[in-house]
């Protein structure tokens, strides 16, 4: 498919279709639906470009066959075989066929070489969703996309749904090509204009849903818990009130009149000022279940966020540790949520920091459907001005097992992420941040995949036919970029130390004396938050064994999480053999050196990368380096002055 818009082709440049587009293909599907049409359209376009041919039906001798069969592969799975010169993709549903086609595109020429025994592919997570924190109207403080670093919204412009949805279609196509099957089109903080998308403005959502549907993507909407009052004029939003329940049922019926395959609602309630059931003395299960009941007749789901905490915290009160909040609020409700309610849990207990342990809630609600929420938009990881490839971080989180067993299986039932895409020509502001979006989709399909291999896929698809030097260079600047970012920012899992409000750049004490519950407790003697059961907030005790024990003691706690769980003196010796203070100095110097090296490597790739893309990344590396030095200097001089301990290597600390 070609798009006339002036935006980057990301991981679907036409060259990626050379192998499939130069062959004779056959599509066999008895009752073709919109997804089969999409598969046909993709192949027809590729063939028009590369001289192949695609036919429907039968007969013909083909090199690629895509076929709907009765195989039991689920709606999204597919099987791949190659025998006697024919590569065959079979699927039992249209989505499976589309994912199978994109799989063949990813394999390129390899899909047409030798023989291939039957391989079956099925997604690990049935729900693979992106939340867009997009406002329809530009918000005075947050702008159009809350925590968006890639321009304006893909969906909304000039206060309404875009008239030309061509770019949304291209987005849907990119998402399908990495396996994403659901999108929520507006911000979880629902302001007045956006609230109305649920009722009199649902037609705009329907227009977006129409464009995403052919790529197998279901559309969801963030709604305000107070909707029965603000939209329905009722005196209450009490979820157990009959009139309120009736209002939700009727509003939902109307939504499905317009969008037959509507995915459901996303709700942020009793969180950072959003309304919720607490106002009526009701539980979050009561709240979620009222919306779930309204959605149930139509097969919809409510994603209810577990990001509930007190943001007017007193640092002296150890019982309200923000890290404990989600577990404390929600575990007593296990078993009470409706079957079509999904509790959406941030992967860490705090808020998308560069390093956090995995939320203990994920292992503690066996009778509740859970989804893990990741943040692809780089709010706390460099805001798409810094190169920070998050595949390794997510891979680590998704492989975590609450009971300590290493098993296949999944951490939860679904996977959700906050999108990093916008109307920027490169989609993601930083062109290399496209790799994060791609990796989210691929890891949601297969969380056991090697993240480095996933990055390799993205590199190969995005730069088909490129010299090995380019792939090596991209690996060199991205493979270790999360670790580099971690080195020059907040150390050893302590988190934050960012500028309040916009969260870009260092401010060691930025959140230290405010009520948000985000502290490092540094004083002249030491640093870190005591979250042990013995002497601290008790957070470590929210884990099952072995983790409760591993985290409880500084002897066994992994270095990278030490300050998340423990308050220790600066002279505390890490497993690495370094003291905490020396670790802070060393990592901050190293992080800057690594950023310098990445900038140098990137500069050396100028002859291999399209000039506009190269220039955009080069400009971002300049800013990354400026910012990394600022982090290094602020953090190192802060701790030099607090601790009075000099750098043992005698480097100048500014
Ligand atoms: C925080 C963001 C804020 C979001 C909130 C959320 O700073 O903009 O509204 O998460 O997840 O990380 O609701």
């Amino acid at each position: 498919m070609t798009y006339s818009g002036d935006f980057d082709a990301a991981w679907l440049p036409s060259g990626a279709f050379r192998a499939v587009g130069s062959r004779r293909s056959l599509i066999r599907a008895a009752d073709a639906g919109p997804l089969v049409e999409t598969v046909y359209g993709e192949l027809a376009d590729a063939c028009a470009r590369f001289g192949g041919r695609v036919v429907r039906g039968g007969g013909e001798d083909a090199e690629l066959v895509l076929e709907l069969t009765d195989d039991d592969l689920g709606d999204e799975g597919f099987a791949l075989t190659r025998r006697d010169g024919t590569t065959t993709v079979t699927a039992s549903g249209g989505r499976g066929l589309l994912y199978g086609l994109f799989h063949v595109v990813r394999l390129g020429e390899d899909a047409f070489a030798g023989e291939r025994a039957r391989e079956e592919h099925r997604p690990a997570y049935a729900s693979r969703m992106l939340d867009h924190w997009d406002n329809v109207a530009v918000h005075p403080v947050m702008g159009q996309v809350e925590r968006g670093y890639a321009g304006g919204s893909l969906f909304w412009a000039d206060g309404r749904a875009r008239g030309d949805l061509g770019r949304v279609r291209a987005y849907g196509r990119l998402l399908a090509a990495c396996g994403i099957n659901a999108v929520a089109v507006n911000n979880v903080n629902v302001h007045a204009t956006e609230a109305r998308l649920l009722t009199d403005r649902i037609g705009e959502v329907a227009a977006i849903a129409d464009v995403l549907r052919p790529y197998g993507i279901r559309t969801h909407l963030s709604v305000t818990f107070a909707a029965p009052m603000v939209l329905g004029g009722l005196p209450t939003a009490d979820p157990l009130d009959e009139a309120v329940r009736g209002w939700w049922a009727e509003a939902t019926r109307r939504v499905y009149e317009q969008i037959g395959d509507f995915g459901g609602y996303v709700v942020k309630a009793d969180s950072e000022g959003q309304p919720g059931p607490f106002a009526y003395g009701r539980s979050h299960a009561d709240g979620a279940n009222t919306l779930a009941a309204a959605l149930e007749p139509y097969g919809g789901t409510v994603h209810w966020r577990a990001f509930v905490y007190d943001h007017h915290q007193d640092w002296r009160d150890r019982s309200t540790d923000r890290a404990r909040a989600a577990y404390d609020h929600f575990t007593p409700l296990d078993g009470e949520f409706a079957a079509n309610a999904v509790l959406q849990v941030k992967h860490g207990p705090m808020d998308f920091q560069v390093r956090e342990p995995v939320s203990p809630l994920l292992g503690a609600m066996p009778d509740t459907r859970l989804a893990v929420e990741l943040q692809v938009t780089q709010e706390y990881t460099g805001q798409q001005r810094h190169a920070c490839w998050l595949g390794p971080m997510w891979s680590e989180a998704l492989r975590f097992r609450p009971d300590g067993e290493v098993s296949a299986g999944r951490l939860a039932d679904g996977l959700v992420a906050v999108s990093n895409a916008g109307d920027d020509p490169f989609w993601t502001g930083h062109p290399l941040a496209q790799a994060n979006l791609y990796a989210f989709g691929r890891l949601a399909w297969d969380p056991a995949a090697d993240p480095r291999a996933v990055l390799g896929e993205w590199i190969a698809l995005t730069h088909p036919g490129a010299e090995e030097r380019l792939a090596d260079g991209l690996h060199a600047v991205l493979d270790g970029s999360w670790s580099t970012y971690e080195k020059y920012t907040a150390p050893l899992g302590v988190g934050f130390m960012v500028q309040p409000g916009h969260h870009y750049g260092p401010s060691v004490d930025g959140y230290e004396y405010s009520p948000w519950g985000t502290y490092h407790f540094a004083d002249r003697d030491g640093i870190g938050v005591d979250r042990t059961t013995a002497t601290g907030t008790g957070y470590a005790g929210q884990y099952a064994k072995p983790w409760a024990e591993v985290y409880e003691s500084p002897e066994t706690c992994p270095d990278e999480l030490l300050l998340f769980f423990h308050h220790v003196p600066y002279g505390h010796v890490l497993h690495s053999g370094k003291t905490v203070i020396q670790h802070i100095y060393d990592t901050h110097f190293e992080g800057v050196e690594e950023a310098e090296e990445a900038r140098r490597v990137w500069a050396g790739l100028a002859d291999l990368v399209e000039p506009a893309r190269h220039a955009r990344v080069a400009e971002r590396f300049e800013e990354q380096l400026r910012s990394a030095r600022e982090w290094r200097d602020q953090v190192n001089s802060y701790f030099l002055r607090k601790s009075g301990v000099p750098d043992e290597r005698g480097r100048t600390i500014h």
Side-chain angles (χ1 to χ4, degrees):
M1 206 78 32
T2 39
Y3 292 95
S4 50
D6 48 358
F7 49 83
D8 196 68
W11 51 89
L12 291 180
S14 63
F17 290 80
R18 182 177 297 279
V20 292
S22 54
R23 291 193 153 78
R24 279 170 286 123
S25 297
L26 179 64
I27 298 182
R28 263 197 227 117
D31 20 66
L35 284 140
V36 175
E37 287 314 306
T38 305
V39 171
Y40 178 79
E42 287 287 345
L43 272 174
D45 268 10
C47 290
R49 197 165 302 121
F50 295 106
R53 206 162 97 78
V54 53
V55 296
R56 304 178 192 236
E60 186 128 340
D61 195 20
E63 297 163 279
L64 174 62
V65 174
L66 293 135
E67 187 176 8
L68 279 187
T69 64
D70 295 334
D71 284 10
D72 187 18
L73 291 159
D75 181 40
E76 302 194 299
F78 62 90
L80 179 72
T81 16
R82 180 168 169 81
R83 204 176 306 127
D84 303 331
T86 302
T87 301
T88 305
V89 174
T90 55
S92 28
R95 279 196 183 129
L97 210 60
L98 182 64
Y99 295 140
L101 170 68
F102 282 124
H103 186 74
V104 174
V105 170
R106 256 192 312 271
L107 292 173
E109 284 301 327
D110 286 354
F112 301 98
E115 301 271 295
R116 220 174 242 275
R118 180 180 164 96
E119 302 163 10
E120 294 190 355
H121 298 259
R122 289 184 184 82
Y125 289 92
S127 166
R128 307 174 300 281
M129 173 160 158
L130 283 173
D131 284 358
H132 283 260
W133 287 354
D134 294 15
N135 300 313
V136 177
V138 175
H139 185 271
V141 180
M142 289 297 170
Q144 188 173 26
V145 181
E146 181 156 334
R147 313 305 180 188
Y149 313 105
S153 169
L154 286 165
F155 306 114
W156 317 100
D158 305 322
R160 55 183 312 283
R162 286 179 184 274
D164 176 358
L165 291 171
R167 182 93 190 252
V168 174
R169 183 179 161 82
Y171 184 55
R173 181 172 177 254
L174 282 177
L175 298 190
C178 65
I180 288 161
N181 66 2
V183 157
V185 294
N186 64 310
N187 193 358
V188 289
N189 294 317
V190 184
H191 310 292
T193 305
E194 292 73 21
R196 289 177 43 209
L197 294 173
L198 173 61
T199 51
D200 59 312
R201 297 187 61 170
I202 190 68
E204 294 171 60
V205 183
I208 294 169
D210 285 345
V211 169
L212 293 174
R213 185 172 301 113
Y215 283 101
I217 294 164
R218 282 175 86 177
T219 299
H220 299 240
L221 198 60
S222 294
V223 296
T224 169
F225 186 76
M229 296 168 79
V230 298
L231 300 170
L234 296 184
T236 176
D238 180 349
L240 299 190
D241 182 283
E242 273 316 309
V244 167
R245 294 172 69 84
W247 188 88
W248 279 110
E250 176 58 14
T252 306
R253 187 185 67 74
R254 287 168 189 259
V255 169
Y256 279 91
E257 252 172 29
Q258 300 237 9
I259 313 171
D261 62 349
F262 179 67
Y265 301 135
V266 179
V267 186
K268 171 176 179 176
D270 290 318
S271 170
E272 300 182 335
Q274 295 294 306
F278 285 162
Y280 308 99
R282 308 299 186 196
S283 78
H284 276 245
D286 295 332
N289 290 348
T290 288
L291 275 67
L295 291 158
E296 197 275 333
Y298 314 98
T301 302
V302 57
H303 281 79
W304 191 270
R305 298 180 81 227
F307 187 53
V308 176
Y309 71 99
D310 174 10
H311 65 287
H312 300 290
Q313 215 142 304
D314 179 341
W315 61 270
R316 284 160 302 212
D317 180 0
R318 292 303 181 97
S319 69
T320 59
D321 176 8
R322 175 167 165 181
R324 293 184 51 137
Y327 182 103
D328 285 344
H329 282 302
F330 287 97
T331 51
L333 302 176
D334 189 28
E336 291 182 22
F337 285 91
N340 63 328
V342 174
L343 191 62
Q344 186 168 312
V345 184
K346 289 192 181 188
H347 66 90
M350 295 295 281
D351 198 0
F352 299 137
Q353 299 304 292
V354 68
R355 178 73 71 171
E356 290 188 41
V358 170
S359 169
L361 192 54
L362 290 164
M365 298 193 68
D367 297 319
T368 306
R369 282 175 69 190
L370 298 177
V372 183
E373 182 180 307
L374 306 174
Q375 197 183 39
V376 181
T377 193
Q378 292 171 240
E379 176 177 2
Y380 291 100
T381 49
Q383 305 201 347
Q384 280 139 252
R385 299 195 224 176
H386 298 222
C388 186
W389 184 56
L390 295 166
M393 180 211 248
W394 301 330
S395 170
E396 227 175 88
L398 296 174
R399 287 167 192 239
F400 179 85
R401 291 293 168 265
D403 56 5
E405 296 295 321
V406 182
S407 61
R410 300 166 308 175
L411 185 57
D413 302 283
L415 208 54
V416 180
V418 187
S419 176
N420 66 348
D423 71 356
D424 166 66
F426 294 98
W427 298 95
T428 51
H430 198 311
L432 302 183
Q434 289 173 8
N436 284 331
L437 190 56
Y438 182 83
F440 167 69
R442 297 291 291 142
L443 289 173
W445 183 283
D446 179 12
D450 171 6
R452 199 171 179 279
V454 171
L455 181 60
E457 273 177 16
W458 175 78
I459 292 172
L461 279 171
T462 309
H463 313 89
E467 276 178 42
E468 221 170 286
R469 184 159 65 87
L470 179 58
D472 291 348
L474 284 163
H475 273 295
V477 300
L478 289 174
D479 280 349
S481 56
W482 168 46
S483 154
T484 298
Y485 186 83
E486 181 178 27
K487 284 182 179 178
Y488 60 73
T489 56
L492 298 167
V494 80
F496 293 90
M497 301 191 171
V498 291
Q499 297 265 352
H502 57 71
H503 302 163
Y504 186 74
S507 175
V508 178
D509 281 340
Y511 274 114
E512 194 58 20
Y513 301 101
S514 69
W516 291 88
T518 49
Y519 311 119
H520 54 64
F521 293 113
D523 59 18
R524 63 175 191 182
D525 301 316
I527 176 176
V529 191
D530 183 354
R531 292 195 162 104
T532 63
T533 304
T535 54
T537 70
Y539 168 78
Q542 292 185 336
Y543 289 88
K545 281 184 191 163
W547 300 112
E549 288 170 355
V550 167
Y551 294 143
E552 178 73 13
S553 158
E555 299 309 312
T556 47
C557 183
D559 282 352
E560 67 274 11
L561 289 170
L562 184 71
L563 302 183
F564 193 93
F565 284 98
H566 299 278
H567 184 86
V568 296
Y570 293 109
H572 175 91
V573 180
L574 298 165
H575 298 117
S576 69
K578 285 184 187 180
T579 60
V580 165
I581 188 72
Q582 194 57 39
H583 173 95
I584 293 175
Y585 297 146
D586 287 353
T587 50
H588 284 77
F589 283 112
E590 274 165 37
V592 170
E593 284 157 21
E594 289 171 15
E596 282 166 351
E597 173 62 7
R599 181 183 64 162
R600 193 191 63 74
V601 170
W602 182 257
L605 301 175
D607 57 321
L608 300 178
V609 181
E610 192 262 315
R613 190 191 296 217
H614 191 272
R616 173 73 76 92
V617 175
E619 161 202 310
R620 304 262 148 159
F621 270 125
E622 291 305 319
E623 167 55 19
Q624 177 170 358
L625 203 51
R626 185 207 60 76
S627 173
R629 289 177 178 143
E630 190 183 10
W631 272 99
R632 175 196 64 194
D633 294 343
Q634 284 207 25
V635 172
N636 281 351
S637 61
Y638 179 99
F639 287 102
L640 175 62
R641 288 171 62 177
K642 276 271 149 147
S643 71
V645 181
D647 171 27
E648 67 187 24
R649 292 173 56 187
R651 290 163 290 198
T652 306
I653 288 174
H654 297 276

